């Protein structure tokens, strides 16, 4: 029988890859979309999806009645809860909003599930940011030490997900995902900020790239590979939490070096420090120990760090080329 999935955060980077993956597996996919003053802007990542089996539904994770109504109507087999205020730097500026969306949003989803479709399998998008300054490599047993309002909200959501499994016997799982990127990554995250700047600098449209902490090390993988891990987690017979990452760390400086080299440029000529991008408290070193996922799910990342950086640079150069071509036609 055809399976039905419900995805919150479907318009985000991960939501778009996951929707494509589930459609390719024959699912009927329902995505929660929040209202925007420019809908075409918020659905750009979904433009390639032309499928009868894909339906968008207006709602918001701060609005319980909309969640209850959609879940009751859809009666999904699987629920992927990806919606969040996901920008760590911004969370210091909108801490209460972040707690409401990223923390309480999960509680609202779980309560709605418990009320109208308690048998559905639930995926919570937990984050390596919850580990904060805990020693690397981090695995499922590493203690949390959140360093931002975002990480605090994710830790709350994570514990709530575990509690609904223990208290009500629901199939609720958390994927503790390390950073994952792609050409669809939001423009404010450091990887996309760098690859867009490489394209603009190479085209002579930008002089410098201003960044904050270049020493931070992250475990960067490809978002498409991580969508596969989310799906695998919900195919398990028992609900469990998994760390998902590549097991390899690189600094922001390494990312700059590789991305500029990809375009034949020396990063040191273009990257400048701007303290405005430093965070009140940052996370220095995150690298996954993904052995549980490898052993129990058989999950492995497919794209290497070098391929990821090259693909993001290539994509941003191509996007800029198309943009400039369109602009010249308008003249
Ligand atoms: P993203 O690109 O920022 O997408 C976030 C999604 O949440 C967007 O669809 C956004 O809608 C939606 N959203 C925000 N506020 C909402 C609200 N109040 N009601 C309903 N929807 C709302 O994030 P991502 O990179 O795809 O990440 C997906 C999830 O994984 C997030 O929960 C993130 O915190 C978590 N995570 C991400 C990473 C990573 O490295 N990417 C790692 C670990 C965990 P709009 O499009 O309208 O803004
Ligand atoms: O920062 C440093 C910054 O914003 C990475 C989210 O998807 O992954 C992401 O969170 C590092 C930090 O990602 C700039 O200080 C330097 O140390 O790309 P980011 P993040 O904070 O790791 C986790 C797993 C999530 O769950 C989150 O949702 O780069 N950095 N200069 C900068 N970062 C930004 N954004 N901009 C800079 O100019």
């Amino acid at each position: 029988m055809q399976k039905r999935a419900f995805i919150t955060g479907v318009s985000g980077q991960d939501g778009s890859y996951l929707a494509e993956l589930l459609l390719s597996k024959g699912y009927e996919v329902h995505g929660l979309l929040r209202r925007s003053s420019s809908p075409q802007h918020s659905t750009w990542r979904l433009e390639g999806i032309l499928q009868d089996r894909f339906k968008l539904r207006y709602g918001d994770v701060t609005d319980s009645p909309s969640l209850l109504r959609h879940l009751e109507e859809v009666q999904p087999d699987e629920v992927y809860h990806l919606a969040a205020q996901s920008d760590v730097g911004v969370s210091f500026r909108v801490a209460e909003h972040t707690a409401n969306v990223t923390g309480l949003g999960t509680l609202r989803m779980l309560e709605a599930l418990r009320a109208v479709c308690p048998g559905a399998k639930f995926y919570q998008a937990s984050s390596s940011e919850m580990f904060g300054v805990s020693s690397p490599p981090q695995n499922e047993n590493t203690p949390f030490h959140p360093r931002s309002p975002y990480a605090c909200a994710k830790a709350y959501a994570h514990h709530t997900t575990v509690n609904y499994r223990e208290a009500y016997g629901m199939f609720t799982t958390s994927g503790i995902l390390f950073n994952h990127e792609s050409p669809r990554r939001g423009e404010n995250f450091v990887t996309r900020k760098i690859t867009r700047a490489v394209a603009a600098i190479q085209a002579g449209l930008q002089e410098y790239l201003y960044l904050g902490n270049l020493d931070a090390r992250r475990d960067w993988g490809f978002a498409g590979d991580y969508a596969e891990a989310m799906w695998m987690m919900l195919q398990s017979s028992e609900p469990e939490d998994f760390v998902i990452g590549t097991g390899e760390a690189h600094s922001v400086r390494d990312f700059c070096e590789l991305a500029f080299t990809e375009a034949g440029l020396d990063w040191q000529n273009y990257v400048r420090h701007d303290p405005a991008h430093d965070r009140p408290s940052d996370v220095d070193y995150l690298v996954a120990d993904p052995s549980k996922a490898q052993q129990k799910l058989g999950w492995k990342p497919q794209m290497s760090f070098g391929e990821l950086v090259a693909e993001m640079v290539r994509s941003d150069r191509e996007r800029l080329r198309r943009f400039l071509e369109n602009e010249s036609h308008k003249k």
Side-chain angles (χ1 to χ4, degrees):
M1 217 175 78
Q2 187 176 64
K3 280 192 179 176
R4 272 192 302 276
F6 185 79
I7 305 176
T8 71
V10 73
S11 58
Q13 170 188 256
D14 292 6
S16 66
Y17 282 106
L18 182 64
E20 285 171 7
L21 178 75
L22 296 178
L23 288 165
S24 76
K25 291 183 183 296
Y27 281 64
E28 181 179 304
V29 177
H30 296 256
L32 188 79
L33 188 70
R34 63 173 168 163
R35 191 263 165 187
S36 161
S37 63
S38 56
Q40 74 284 11
H41 189 68
S42 68
T43 54
W44 67 273
R45 296 182 175 97
L46 304 171
E47 269 160 19
I49 305 183
L50 298 168
Q51 282 266 5
D52 292 346
R53 286 182 283 116
F54 182 57
K55 302 177 198 328
L56 290 174
R57 293 168 164 263
Y58 274 112
D60 196 296
V61 298
T62 59
D63 182 67
S64 290
S66 66
L67 304 179
L68 275 164
R69 192 175 62 250
H70 292 313
L71 288 173
E72 187 160 32
E73 284 171 11
V74 174
Q75 287 298 318
D77 300 285
E78 295 169 15
V79 175
Y80 296 86
H81 176 45
L82 312 183
Q85 191 304 91
S86 74
D87 189 315
V88 177
V90 166
S91 78
F92 288 97
R93 300 199 175 101
V94 290
E96 184 182 328
H97 170 76
T98 303
N100 191 16
V101 175
T102 306
L104 286 175
T106 300
L107 178 73
R108 293 188 191 96
M109 282 296 294
L110 287 165
E111 272 299 292
L113 214 71
R114 191 161 80 91
V116 299
C117 54
K121 293 181 168 184
F122 180 82
Y123 173 87
Q124 161 62 18
S126 283
S127 165
S128 54
E129 281 294 302
M130 301 186 304
F131 296 127
V133 288
S134 282
S135 303
Q138 293 91 5
N139 65 24
E140 292 79 5
N141 301 315
T142 303
F144 296 161
H145 186 141
R147 296 266 289 171
S148 64
Y150 168 80
C152 292
K154 280 288 182 191
Y156 168 81
H158 178 86
H159 287 307
T160 303
T161 303
V162 174
N163 180 242
Y164 273 59
R165 179 162 80 218
E166 293 175 354
Y168 306 116
M170 290 163 64
F171 193 111
T172 64
T173 65
S174 266
I176 307 177
L177 272 49
F178 283 62
N179 299 53
H180 45 280
E181 320 293 313
S182 72
R184 299 183 200 168
R185 186 56 145 152
E187 292 170 5
N188 289 333
F189 297 98
V190 78
T191 55
R192 207 43 225 299
K193 185 171 165 183
I194 295 167
T195 57
R196 287 184 84 227
V198 166
I201 288 170
Q202 199 183 37
L205 300 172
Q206 185 174 329
E207 200 171 357
Y208 296 114
L209 165 62
Y210 292 95
L211 294 175
N213 181 8
L214 295 183
D215 296 322
R217 280 178 284 179
R218 290 290 185 275
D219 180 334
W220 280 296
F222 168 56
D225 291 341
Y226 290 51
E228 186 87 34
M230 294 175 198
W231 175 77
M232 285 176 152
M233 284 178 60
L234 291 201
Q235 310 318 304
S236 292
S237 50
E238 294 298 321
E240 282 185 76
D241 304 328
F242 288 93
V243 155
I244 303 293
T246 69
E248 227 184 83
H250 300 272
S251 66
V252 174
R253 184 180 285 100
D254 294 338
F255 196 105
C256 285
E257 186 172 353
L258 207 56
F260 278 86
T261 303
E262 194 60 36
L265 301 170
D266 180 350
W267 72 280
Q268 296 187 81
N269 294 332
Y270 305 101
V271 176
R272 297 287 180 267
H273 181 246
D274 179 351
H277 297 301
D278 291 336
R279 295 174 184 174
S281 51
D282 205 351
V283 170
D284 295 328
Y285 189 4
L286 291 175
V287 63
D289 163 10
S291 41
K292 181 181 172 189
Q294 285 174 2
Q295 282 156 21
K296 284 199 152 181
L297 300 175
W299 179 84
K300 258 197 179 150
Q302 301 300 314
M303 193 183 283
S304 72
F305 178 67
E307 288 166 340
L308 174 67
V309 177
E311 177 56 20
M312 289 179 72
V313 170
R314 189 204 59 72
S315 160
D316 273 324
R317 288 164 80 184
E318 176 57 20
R319 261 195 201 115
L320 185 61
R321 190 194 61 74
R322 282 200 307 266
F323 172 78
L324 294 173
E325 205 174 87
N326 281 343
E327 289 300 296
S328 75
H329 287 319
K330 282 186 199 160
K331 283 181 189 154

